[in-house]
Amino acid sequence: MIDFETKDRYGVEDLRDIVAILRAPGGCPWDQAQTHESIRRNFIEEAYEVAEAIDQKDPNHLKEELGDVLLQVLFHSSIEADAGHFDLDDVADGVCKKLIYRHPHVFAPEEDPLDWEELKRREKGQQTQAAVLDGVARSLPALWRAEKLQVKAAKAGFEWPNVQAAMDKLTEEVDELQSAVAEESNVEEELGDLLFAAVKVARFFQIDAETALHAACEKFIRRFAGVEAAAAAQGKPMGAFPVSALMAFWDQMKDRETNDTKDDKEREHEHE
């Protein structure tokens, strides 16, 4: 029989106790068997679900997903506590000290203020700007990582002078990709360079490239559904049509969306 009190409302300490009970002998075999590596993907997925809840502007959903992320933090901390390395209090201690160190204007206003990036460099012992770039997490989505690298490089003065220069570089990368495809050589490398250059253009317009690509994915799903519906209206599955016919359906969907957008804008002007 476990020593646990049922309550009407629980707090963070209760969650820590529950995780400890689940991972202790007599608890849950699955929880006991987990390692950092086995639940690494769970942490990433939970973080993305928090982002989705934020996008949906749903407080209840956000509360639930934040709880799942908190569980991941407690679970990983519990694994390390069992190994004798650190516990949740050590995690909290570390982040508290980091926040105090990075906000001297709040916690030590009498000291000369330092730039946020300079504080981070000192904290991490980064002696060069290259070390700052190397410190950007490799586990980030590639578009976000590219943006962060470019932002940090720009702060060091390594930046295109204007958007046209960035566009010229993008065009250059398109040409190099075309050559690579023709030669069937270095296609992956050239494609990566093209995507990196596209992120640079996005930054000049303060566009989150990751968000832009997500929007493109949603648009693709929407238009694909229209193509499928158009094929079904003719009593045939999509596979029964040649690609040219499917692309014609696609263009019809594209034109329809364009016209709908124009109509929406005209209605907005009428009400102004």
Side-chain angles (χ1 to χ4, degrees), residues 2 18-34 75:
I2 62 173
I18 290 171
V19 171
I21 289 170
L22 291 174
R23 298 195 65 254
C28 174
W30 185 90
D31 291 303
Q32 295 164 8
Q34 300 313 303
F75 209 105

Side-chain angles (χ1 to χ4, degrees), residues 92-106:
D93 174 68
V95 73
C96 286
K97 289 176 178 174
K98 180 188 295 185
L99 288 171
I100 294 168
Y101 175 79
R102 292 187 182 180
H103 294 81
H105 57 290
V106 176

